[in-house]
């Protein structure tokens, strides 16, 4: 009885293996021309001619640097930002903790911008330009966060009034963001 099971498994394996070998022999061993979507189709393998649209990525893999930077940014946002308000008691330690957090985000976004300019992720230029513009927008936001973090200290020292700081935070941030986004787009269009 066990012999019959072995024979049936072997026959089933050969029914798949032999046509697959003929298929590879027909393609001269070029595995790139195999139809990966209809892999049981043994007639007429063609090169992959799927339509590439404007949002098609060149690869599904992120570069190791980009992947690491995004992990650092998410971990910084999740763990350090919540720790700054809960663990620190005095204003100086909150300021130091916040500056460390903003510095990590700034350096990470700077590396992310450089990575995107070095290896554009999409096939089409317009999508790469848009992605670079958004990434440079993140860079400006993280740069502007320095002012947001130190503005209470500036108010305390009398360099700026609280009302002026409250007006400057959103207005200057939103006024300069398009400039950074255009800068990112221009760098990508090079």
């Amino acid at each position: 009885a066990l012999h019959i099971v072995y024979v049936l498994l072997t026959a089933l394996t050969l029914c798949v293996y032999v046509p697959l070998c003929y298929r590879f022999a027909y393609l001269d061993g070029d595995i790139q021309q195999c139809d990966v979507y209809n892999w049981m189709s043994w007639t007429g393998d063609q090169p992959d001619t799927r339509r590439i649209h404007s949002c098609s990525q060149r690869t599904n893999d992120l570069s190791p640097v980009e992947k690491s930077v995004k992990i650092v940014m998410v971990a910084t946002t999740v763990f350090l930002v919540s720790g700054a308000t809960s663990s620190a008691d005095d204003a100086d330690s909150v300021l130091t903790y916040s500056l460390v957090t903003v510095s990590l985000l700034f350096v990470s976004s700077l590396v992310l911008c450089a990575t995107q300019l070095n290896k554009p992720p999409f096939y089409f230029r317009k999508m790469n330009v848009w992605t670079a513009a958004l990434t440079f927008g993140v860079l400006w936001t993280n740069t502007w966060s320095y002012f947001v973090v130190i503005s209470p200290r500036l108010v305390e020292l009398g360099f700026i009034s609280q009302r002026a700081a409250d007006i400057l935070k959103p207005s200057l941030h939103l006024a300069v963001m398009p400039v950074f986004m255009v800068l990112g787009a221009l760098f990508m269009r090079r």
Side-chain angles (χ1 to χ4, degrees):
L2 194 59
H3 178 71
I4 294 173
V5 171
Y6 287 144
V7 168
L8 288 175
L9 285 175
T10 305
L12 183 64
T13 303
L14 284 175
C15 284
V16 173
Y17 177 75
V18 170
L20 192 62
C21 287
Y22 277 113
R23 181 178 182 185
F24 284 135
Y26 174 75
L27 297 172
D28 294 327
D30 188 7
I31 204 165
Q32 296 294 326
Q33 289 187 359
C34 286
D35 188 1
V36 294
Y37 299 103
N38 301 309
W39 63 275
M40 290 298 288
S41 171
W42 296 321
T43 60
D45 282 326
Q46 301 292 327
D48 188 10
T49 57
R50 290 177 294 166
R51 183 179 176 274
I52 297 174
H53 53 83
S54 61
C55 295
S56 294
Q57 290 190 335
R58 291 178 192 267
T59 177
N60 291 332
D61 262 355
L62 295 174
S63 69
V65 173
E66 187 176 355
K67 198 180 302 183
S68 302
V69 164
K70 287 182 179 180
I71 290 171
V72 166
M73 290 176 85
V74 169
T76 300
T77 304
V78 170
F79 298 116
L80 292 183
V81 171
S82 63
T85 56
S86 64
S87 69
D89 294 332
D90 62 302
D92 287 336
S93 61
V94 169
L95 179 66
T96 304
Y97 205 77
S98 297
L99 285 174
V100 167
T101 302
V102 169
S103 296
L104 279 171
L105 289 172
F106 171 73
V107 169
S108 296
S109 59
L110 192 63
V111 170
L112 189 61
C113 286
T115 303
Q116 289 226 329
L117 291 176
N118 186 34
K119 184 181 176 188
F122 296 100
Y123 280 107
F124 287 88
R125 180 182 295 220
K126 288 181 183 177
M127 196 63 197
N128 287 325
V129 167
W130 177 246
T131 306
L134 291 176
T135 306
F136 272 75
V138 170
L139 176 64
W140 167 245
T141 299
N142 290 329
T143 305
W144 184 245
S145 296
Y146 279 113
F147 175 76
V148 173
V149 166
I150 65 168
S151 65
R153 181 61 62 114
L154 295 175
V155 169
E156 183 181 300
L157 295 174
F159 287 118
I160 192 170
S161 69
Q162 183 64 47
R163 185 173 187 282
D166 289 342
I167 291 172
L168 277 177
K169 286 177 191 176
S171 59
L172 196 58
H173 176 252
L174 294 176
V176 177
M177 175 147 339
V179 174
F180 264 73
M181 292 177 77
V182 167
L183 188 68
L186 289 175
F187 278 145
M188 183 58 80
R189 286 191 63 89
R190 60 177 159 90

